[in-house]
Amino acid sequence: MRGLWTAGVTDVMMEHEVWPDGLIGVSAGAAFGCNYKSRQVGRAIRYNMRFAKDSRYSSIRSLLTSGDYFNAQFGYHVVPYEYDIFDTATFEKSPLEFTIVCTDVETGQAVYHTMDHVDYDELEWLRASASMPVVSRVVEVQGHKLLDGGVSDSIPLEYFERQGYQRNVVILTQPLGYQKEHNRLMPLVRMSLRKYPLMVKALDERHIMYNKQLEFVAQAEREGRCLVIRPEEKIAIGHISHDPEQMRRVYEMGRQTGERYIERIKEFYEN
């Protein structure tokens, strides 16, 4: 749910007609970031608030009956077609290259997928990127077995630079000075993913990978290769929330940050 802060920032960027050549999203950054390519300001906060307390969208009931806390069918294949319509036509016409990061549970390695159209499988790629281990089933799509992209490549600046993107705005959801700690839920992770030892290893070492990526981002920022946007303090929301007002507060905080940064963003891209 920290991704709603990011959605606030990116909504401001869209309102100010900032259209980059490419966007790469990880986990909620993918699930909410697709709205940048479809140019739908406000969509992420709108449907999350609407369904915050709807057991069809996210609930223990959904976890027990389907294996997914965030319901796969309702959230990814009903909401965008029936309740908060995803603008497929605009998405597919947009020249913005949209890349999704997932983690292959059999290898523990990142899988990068470019989404340029919308159909059932493409929405499954989105779901896979945001499917948190333990509270989500493994997503099988196009020969891959996938879960949360943040396990293998949480901040994919290095990957995007290798693809030729030389001036990147990096939106982080943790304040300056944050360092990720070892996952305290590893015993539960090992039990849940015992069939996938390389995925367990990736989760066990995720904090090491993440902190190295923070160092990479800091160096790129010092060298002027990227502009980093981050909250000034820890965002007061967890991975899961059922409080629509809490969601709105987090989103509005992101918008306020976006407004403070928007001229710097424009200048950064113009240069």
Side-chain angles (χ1 to χ4, degrees), residues 45-223:
I45 184 61
R46 188 170 61 237
Y47 72 74
N48 273 285
M49 288 184 63
R50 178 177 178 181
F51 296 107
K53 298 183 179 182
D54 192 322
S55 63
R56 295 174 299 171
Y57 183 64
S58 60
S59 64
I60 293 295
R61 177 184 176 185
S62 175
L63 178 62
L64 294 176
T65 57
S66 73
D68 294 296
Y69 191 90
F70 288 91
N71 189 273
Q73 184 63 25
F74 186 78
Y76 289 89
H77 300 289
V78 174
V79 170
Y81 288 108
E82 296 183 18
Y83 291 103
D84 201 311
I85 308 303
F86 187 64
D87 191 342
T88 300
T90 298
F91 182 95
E92 294 180 351
K93 289 177 183 177
S94 169
L96 183 152
E97 185 175 80
F98 178 54
T99 303
I100 299 165
V101 185
C102 301
T103 301
D104 188 311
V105 298
E106 296 182 315
T107 66
Q109 299 297 308
V111 178
Y112 305 93
H113 177 77
T114 299
M115 181 178 174
D116 58 8
H117 65 284
V118 181
D119 60 21
Y120 189 92
D121 278 358
E122 295 303 299
L123 293 173
E124 287 291 275
W125 278 99
L126 273 182
R127 179 168 77 88
S129 183
S131 289
M132 296 182 291
V134 180
V135 295
S136 306
R137 293 171 297 163
V138 171
V139 180
E140 297 190 33
V141 55
Q142 296 176 344
H144 297 277
K145 294 182 178 180
L146 306 168
L147 281 175
D148 189 351
V151 174
S152 54
D153 195 352
S154 298
I155 314 171
L157 174 62
E158 185 174 6
Y159 171 82
F160 226 36
E161 287 187 338
R162 291 200 306 268
Q163 305 314 300
Y165 292 95
Q166 298 178 1
R167 295 186 69 78
N168 294 286
V169 171
V170 179
I171 305 177
L172 303 177
T173 59
Q174 296 287 2
L176 184 66
Y178 172 81
Q179 289 283 287
K180 183 172 285 296
E181 298 180 353
H182 185 253
N183 190 342
R184 293 175 293 178
L185 298 178
M186 281 309 300
L188 186 58
V189 167
R190 290 189 179 94
M191 183 185 305
S192 175
L193 294 169
R194 57 189 177 278
K195 293 194 297 184
Y196 305 108
L198 294 179
M199 182 67 170
V200 172
K201 183 175 185 290
L203 280 156
D204 197 29
E205 298 176 353
R206 186 189 175 198
H207 63 297
I208 300 172
M209 173 273 295
Y210 186 97
N211 294 333
K212 285 182 178 178
Q213 290 190 323
L214 286 176
E215 293 176 10
F216 184 88
V217 169
Q219 182 62 33
E221 185 178 23
R222 287 192 292 270
E223 294 175 0

